[in-house]
Amino acid sequence: MTLTDYDTGGFHDEMFDATGHPRPEAQLLLDTIGALGDGQLERCQQAAERILLQLGITFNVYGDSAGVERPFPFDLVPRIVTSAEWEWIERGLRQRIHALNAFINDIYHEQKIIKDGIVPEEIVRSAAFYRPQCIGINPPKGVWCHITGSDLVRHGDGQIYILEDNLRVPSGVSYMLENRDLMKRTFPQVFEGLSVRPVFEYPSLLLRTLEEIAPAGLTTKPVVVLLTPGMYNSAYFEHSYLAQKMGIPLVEGRDLVVEDNTVWMRTTKGLRRVHVIYRRIDDDFLDPEAFRPDSMLGVPGLVSAYRAGRVSLANAPGNGVADDKVMYSYVPDMIRYYEGEDPIIPNVPTFLCWRDTDRQHVLQNLETLVVKSANEAGGYGMLVGPQSTAAERAAFAEKIIAEPRNYIAQPTLALSRVPTLIDHQLEGRHVDLRPYILYGDDIRVVPGGLTRVALRKGSLVVNSSQGGGSKDTWVLSAPTRGKA
Amino acid sequence: MKTDSLPLLSRVADSVYWIARYIERAENIARYIGVNLNLQIDLPLAPLHQWQPLIDTSGDADAFKERFGVATQTRVIEYLAYDIENPNSISSCLRAARENARSVRETISSEMWAQINGMYLQIQAQRSLPEPERMLDAFREIRLGCHLFEGLTGATMSHNEAWHFMKLGRMLERADKTSRILDVKYFMLLPSASDVGTPYDDIHWSAVLRSVSGFEMYRKKYGRISPSDVVDFLVMDDEFPRAVRFCIASAYDSLQAITGTPVGAFRYRSEQLMGQLRAELDFTSVDTVIRGGLHEYLDRLQLKMNEIDGSLRDDFAVRLPQAQAQGQTQSQSQGPSQSQSQSQSQTTAVSQSANANQTA
């Protein structure tokens, strides 16, 4: 397969430098791909797709009729991260998660950061995922964000930025694991000569993290379960996958019951106590007594048992207060405030529409900015200025004026690209990177993550619900050798 | 069962039980169709009603007649194998097995899941009847696919509580199917007493045996074919894996492994019922059965098995307080578990339609 026609298109490419020469860490991989016979890469790709379908590695599409499953498109060409860059990313993520956790704990206790005038009180109170029900709760070991999936992007300037923190119920880690398996199965020769750090320990680390946060004073091994909204949830595959890999029961709300402020599951031998719940249900649906009374998915009384320290929840309810995209803009200040350090990984510069000056600027520059709703995920509620029509911009301007608190804007980032197999040839497609950070006794980051790729030409939206796919992510363990 | 492993979630127990039942059901239907296709070749001039017994065996005769009328080969195969409106077609069984498997993927092995998913995708892709020359192969593949699933179940999954629930489901379904085919065929064949000993009779009785993959094993044990020996073999044999007695004994063993109740005692209604049935099969002779009327005997047998199925659910699967049970019904309307409980209640209704006095 020839790579001579590959065009970086003026973007930062993860495999080629600005002059079109392979980056040193990508050289060996590109040699292997270059040596492939005609159609061989496609055949591997097709084999991978067949496996995905056969294994039922699919996600459910909302808005479609119930039960429609599609494989998450997978591209065989991996994204490479050098060991030096990973070391920097990992330090930056540890620092950021530590600060965010301190912030959440502070918000639900003394609120020192508000009193010290760093974060405005009204922003906290108006944050969509702020939960006053959580005030005063002391989760085990003071940890509120046990599993985080931060989104990183590289801009045209070559710098990596944090785009979102995703503290609530981040998904996608199963694809990180499955993508590696798929690569090993369908394209094993590409690993040759490279030392790619394994990711398979993630389920063990996750289980360890969950066991570490069990209620204090247990004399037996804690019973850990994964709580799913059920089979028709878009991330159901991941829920069952993780439960299987950890060897823990996958439960639905109807399998659990709270009696005497204690959580039990219904088994063939009667009720059995549950100590730790990795819940993949949003706060709102967790417990109809504490949050949305119309929720059928949750467990009545769960939050009360949690508050009493009789059961641990990961992630802790209320931690989404820091997921608000307005709050995001304060994270660098939080890091300085709680850690006494400058942020390692920078934020994307963010305009807050509730500030008059920012709003004026945003409204005047809609065609160059990306506007996001403060609390939507999945690529919804978003305007990509340069790719928008005048009518779309006008509609967004109205929304911004009506609800300035709910909108932020950022410069349109020229996300970096990775060669991707499109119609029998390699073309550059924009990517992001979502590493997963675990927080129990310690903060742990698995070397890797989910690289999402916008498969549509020119698109900057990588979400699976918007035509995105994914790639394997290779974190190298040693400086790469050049040509063998 | 040792107590250090966590007991199974009731919902999971119910799902794995039904996975096994649906796969067993699909395998049986595929086998019946295969046997009948063979019979067709041996008896080309046989009357049309050769395909009717298959519909009778499934217990869906009325539903079939209403929609299709006369039971021709094409219509019967269409209905039993591919019709998605027939809740007991192979296609529907595989769909239901897969839905259940999807809800308990963390409990079964990846290999088992991939096998069910693969079979489901394959039958989904089959839009019309296979070509005549492909027909036998197509049903053979389904049969082998189901056997492969059973093999994977034995070889890739711990023989834990979930495994025993699967075995329970498989064995009860198998016993049910064997008793049904015997009931229908015996009823059909016996009136032709003048044919006894003729090739025609021999072919039919061997077809019955082949329907449960039992022809060769029968030969080894009894040699020539006689109706009472066939009954003895299919109901009372304790070595042939599709004989009713074997199935009930095997199901009973699994139930005991699940409950941990010592031999000779019972703590659950299901244990009591199954223990009684097992003892009865152990200590009944075929002559007594035939004298009292085989049809009546098999009818009672099916009643008992239905009762066991219901008591299993009461004992292990639906231990929900009233208020919770209502909440669950409501939540079903918004998605999770809906299709499963639907398909199961349909199945229950259908499998019990032959016994109108047995209502769940």
Side-chain angles (χ1 to χ4, degrees):
Chain A
M1 161 160 249
T2 172
L3 283 156
T4 45
D5 297 338
Y6 184 77
D7 180 10
T8 58
F11 291 98
H12 182 103
D13 197 284
E14 298 286 340
M15 283 214 199
F16 295 90
D17 65 20
T19 63
H21 290 96
R23 296 182 188 278
E25 67 270 17
Q27 182 72 58
L28 207 55
L29 174 66
L30 291 169
D31 288 348
T32 308
I33 292 175
L36 291 175
D38 268 353
Q40 202 176 338
L41 196 60
E42 285 95 320
R43 281 196 296 279
C44 291
Q45 178 87 28
Q46 285 155 6
E49 277 161 16
R50 271 198 308 277
I51 291 171
L52 282 175
L53 210 58
Q54 189 81 21
L55 296 182
I57 299 177
T58 53
F59 69 97
N60 295 2
V61 186
Y62 288 136
D64 250 315
S65 60
V68 173
E69 306 155 40
R70 297 201 190 132
F72 189 20
F74 170 68
D75 184 77
L76 266 187
V77 184
R79 181 241 183 96
I80 297 178
V81 181
T82 64
S83 62
E85 188 153 66
W86 181 257
E87 189 270 331
W88 174 82
I89 288 174
E90 193 177 322
R91 267 194 302 127
L93 291 172
R94 284 172 188 280
Q95 178 200 49
R96 190 171 176 105
I97 296 304
H98 198 265
L100 281 164
N101 191 68
F103 168 73
I104 299 161
N105 199 52
D106 189 16
I107 286 304
Y108 292 116
H109 291 93
E110 297 94 339
Q111 304 200 332
K112 283 185 290 191
I113 198 166
I114 295 175
K115 290 169 191 151
D116 286 335
I118 312 290
V119 174
E121 181 168 17
E122 73 245 45
I123 291 303
V124 172
R125 289 206 185 289
S126 59
F129 302 109
Y130 170 62
R131 294 284 175 269
Q133 298 92 326
C134 298
I135 290 172
I137 288 183
N138 291 303
K141 297 172 182 173
V143 180
W144 293 75
C145 34
H146 310 93
I147 300 107
T148 309
S150 304
D151 287 341
L152 302 176
V153 292
R154 194 198 301 277
H155 183 43
D157 57 3
Q159 174 72 51
I160 285 183
Y161 295 87
I162 288 260
L163 189 62
E164 283 178 15
D165 291 298
N166 296 316
L167 296 157
R168 282 166 292 157
V169 276
S171 61
V173 75
S174 57
Y175 296 103
M176 168 184 89
L177 297 165
E178 276 296 338
N179 285 355
R180 180 63 55 81
D181 280 352
L182 213 49
M183 282 298 278
K184 289 197 285 197
R185 235 173 118 168
T186 55
F187 205 22
Q189 62 268 43
V190 294
F191 290 94
E192 210 158 295
L194 286 165
S195 165
V196 178
R197 294 181 63 184
V199 291
F200 69 87
E201 61 178 349
Y202 180 84
S204 314
L205 290 179
L206 176 58
L207 181 59
R208 187 170 155 191
T209 302
L210 294 168
E211 286 178 348
E212 282 168 358
I213 60 156
L218 287 184
T219 52
T220 53
K221 205 161 105 66
V223 172
V224 182
V225 301
L226 194 155
L227 174 61
T228 174
M231 205 150 102
Y232 296 111
N233 183 268
S234 67
Y236 179 75
F237 161 72
E238 177 156 305
H239 305 162
S240 63
Y241 179 91
L242 289 175
Q244 184 185 43
K245 295 287 170 191
M246 290 191 281
I248 64 173
L250 176 66
V251 304
E252 297 176 15
R254 60 190 165 125
D255 296 322
L256 299 180
V257 62
V258 178
E259 275 172 21
D260 305 328
N261 237 11
T262 304
V263 182
W264 309 87
M265 58 181 174
R266 304 170 202 283
T267 77
T268 54
K269 309 263 164 72
L271 298 178
R272 283 290 187 277
R273 170 122 191 240
V274 171
H275 303 106
V276 182
I277 301 175
Y278 177 23
R279 48 97 176 199
R280 296 292 299 254
I281 295 184
D282 289 337
D283 287 356
D284 275 349
F285 300 97
L286 207 49
D287 176 355
E289 288 176 10
F291 300 117
R292 268 175 65 163
D294 60 338
S295 167
M296 291 293 175
L297 302 172
V299 186
L302 182 58
V303 171
S304 166
Y306 166 66
R307 179 184 284 277
R310 303 279 294 157
V311 69
S312 303
L313 296 175
N315 287 332
N319 83 346
V321 64
D323 256 352
D324 186 296
K325 289 190 175 73
V326 175
M327 209 68 75
Y328 159 89
S329 73
Y330 289 94
V331 177
D333 293 334
M334 293 175 200
I335 293 173
R336 288 185 201 99
Y337 182 76
Y338 295 111
E339 310 293 313
E341 297 170 1
D342 280 329
I344 296 170
I345 310 177
N347 257 24
V348 178
T350 301
F351 301 100
L352 305 178
C353 295
W354 64 271
R355 283 185 188 141
D356 294 342
T357 47
D358 282 18
R359 186 171 61 253
Q360 291 316 317
H361 176 84
V362 171
L363 290 172
Q364 281 160 18
N365 294 282
L366 279 179
E367 65 281 7
T368 61
L369 296 169
V370 173
V371 183
K372 294 175 181 174
S373 159
N375 290 297
E376 294 242 33
Y380 295 103
M382 172 171 166
L383 175 83
V384 180
Q387 296 174 359
S388 64
T389 63
E392 285 165 347
R393 287 195 294 277
F396 249 80
E398 270 179 43
K399 290 192 207 175
I400 292 170
I401 291 162
E403 280 187 288
R405 163 65 180 84
N406 259 341
Y407 289 93
I408 60 121
Q410 295 167 337
T412 306
L413 298 178
L415 302 192
S416 65
R417 304 204 308 186
V418 177
T420 301
L421 186 64
I422 306 280
D423 298 334
H424 315 294
Q425 56 178 357
L426 292 177
E427 290 182 16
R429 288 292 185 269
H430 298 289
V431 297
D432 76 351
L433 172 62
R434 178 178 289 183
Y436 295 89
I437 307 104
L438 299 172
Y439 196 164
D441 282 344
D442 199 2
I443 297 178
R444 305 179 179 105
V445 191
V446 175
L450 179 65
T451 292
R452 296 185 297 176
V453 53
L455 294 171
R456 275 187 227 133
K457 196 180 182 80
S459 170
L460 295 167
V461 186
V462 296
N463 303 81
S464 56
S465 48
Q466 316 267 323
S470 71
K471 287 170 169 287
D472 192 11
T473 308
W474 288 4
V475 174
L476 303 181
S477 67
T480 46
R481 288 168 262 166
K483 251 182 176 151
Chain B
M1 186 151 302
K2 287 189 187 141
T3 46
D4 56 358
S5 62
L6 214 55
L8 213 53
L9 284 176
S10 299
R11 174 177 56 79
V12 171
D14 191 54
S15 287
V16 292
Y17 172 85
W18 278 101
I19 293 172
R21 280 203 86 139
Y22 282 127
I23 293 291
E24 183 67 27
R25 195 170 293 175
E27 195 259 343
N28 273 283
I29 300 167
R31 193 154 22 76
Y32 294 167
I33 295 174
V35 168
N36 242 37
L37 285 168
N38 261 318
L39 200 58
Q40 186 93 331
I41 298 166
D42 285 335
L43 302 167
L45 300 176
L48 272 176
H49 70 243
Q50 184 175 318
W51 287 91
Q52 183 61 40
L54 257 68
I55 298 293
D56 296 341
T57 308
S58 73
D60 301 332
D62 293 342
F64 179 87
K65 193 171 181 190
E66 195 173 300
R67 286 180 49 207
F68 297 94
V70 179
T72 64
Q73 172 178 324
T74 312
R75 286 173 189 167
V76 170
I77 294 178
E78 179 76 45
Y79 179 73
L80 290 181
Y82 303 107
D83 186 6
I84 51 171
E85 285 176 46
N86 171 9
N88 290 312
S89 68
I90 295 175
S91 187
S92 296
C93 286
L94 291 179
R95 172 189 291 272
R98 181 191 184 255
E99 285 284 281
N100 278 290
R102 217 159 91 77
S103 75
V104 296
R105 253 161 97 157
E106 82 295 346
T107 304
I108 60 177
S109 70
S110 301
E111 288 90 342
M112 290 159 69
W113 159 252
Q115 176 60 17
I116 287 195
N117 192 44
M119 283 200 290
Y120 164 78
L121 292 173
Q122 199 168 350
I123 200 149
Q124 285 290 103
Q126 181 88 41
R127 292 264 169 245
S128 54
L129 287 189
E131 302 292 304
E133 67 274 15
R134 270 269 309 140
M135 198 83 100
L136 273 170
D137 273 350
F139 290 105
R140 186 169 165 274
E141 275 167 26
I142 292 170
R143 217 151 41 79
L144 291 181
C146 295
H147 284 315
L148 179 53
F149 177 77
E150 192 191 333
L152 288 168
T153 305
T156 65
M157 180 176 178
S158 285
H159 292 200
N160 54 17
E161 192 186 354
W163 185 85
H164 283 295
F165 269 106
M166 295 192 78
K167 191 159 132 243
L168 258 181
R170 180 165 61 246
M171 287 303 167
L172 287 176
E173 179 70 25
R174 196 179 276 178
D176 176 72
K177 285 287 169 287
T178 299
S179 70
R180 271 170 203 278
I181 192 135
L182 183 61
D183 193 12
V184 169
K185 285 285 190 174
Y186 197 82
F187 183 72
M188 224 185 70
L189 290 176
L190 221 56
S192 59
S194 57
D195 287 336
V196 171
T198 67
Y200 176 82
D201 196 48
D202 219 45
I203 284 174
H204 271 289
W205 279 112
S206 26
V208 175
L209 288 166
R210 284 185 218 278
S211 297
V212 295
S213 300
F215 183 65
E216 294 167 10
M217 294 301 141
Y218 173 90
R219 271 276 200 252
K220 279 185 208 303
K221 188 161 181 178
Y222 300 91
R224 294 189 52 184
I225 289 176
S226 87
S228 76
D229 283 348
V230 172
V231 174
D232 189 39
F233 181 67
L234 293 185
V235 180
M236 302 303 176
D237 199 80
D238 62 349
E239 290 175 338
F240 181 64
R242 293 185 181 279
V244 174
R245 183 173 158 211
F246 178 98
C247 293
I248 295 299
S250 171
Y252 181 74
D253 290 344
S254 276
L255 185 57
Q256 269 201 321
I258 290 164
T259 61
T261 308
V263 183
F266 66 89
R267 281 185 292 182
Y268 295 93
R269 174 90 178 127
S270 51
E271 283 182 304
Q272 184 186 17
L273 291 170
M274 215 186 287
Q276 285 171 347
L277 180 56
R278 180 182 185 168
E280 186 199 309
L281 287 163
D282 282 349
F283 296 103
T284 305
S285 73
V286 68
D287 298 338
T288 323
V289 169
I290 292 181
R291 221 177 308 124
L294 180 68
H295 174 69
E296 288 70 19
Y297 182 81
L298 292 175
D299 219 25
R300 278 201 308 277
L301 187 71
Q302 277 170 14
L303 275 177
K304 284 174 190 159
M305 290 195 290
N306 285 335
E307 210 182 332
I308 289 170
D309 177 72
S311 65
L312 282 172
R313 209 161 310 161
D314 294 341
D315 289 344
F316 304 106
V318 200
R319 292 179 147 184
L320 302 181
Q322 200 51 40
Q324 283 291 326
Q326 280 167 2
Q328 194 185 338
T329 319
Q330 283 168 11
S331 77
Q332 281 172 358
S333 62
Q334 67 180 123
S337 91
Q338 183 180 19
S339 64
Q340 176 186 330
S341 58
Q342 252 178 16
S343 60
Q344 286 179 9
S345 61
Q346 279 169 359
T347 312
T348 312
V350 167
S351 67
Q352 291 175 351
S353 61
N355 308 296
N357 52 348
Q358 172 74 14
T359 45

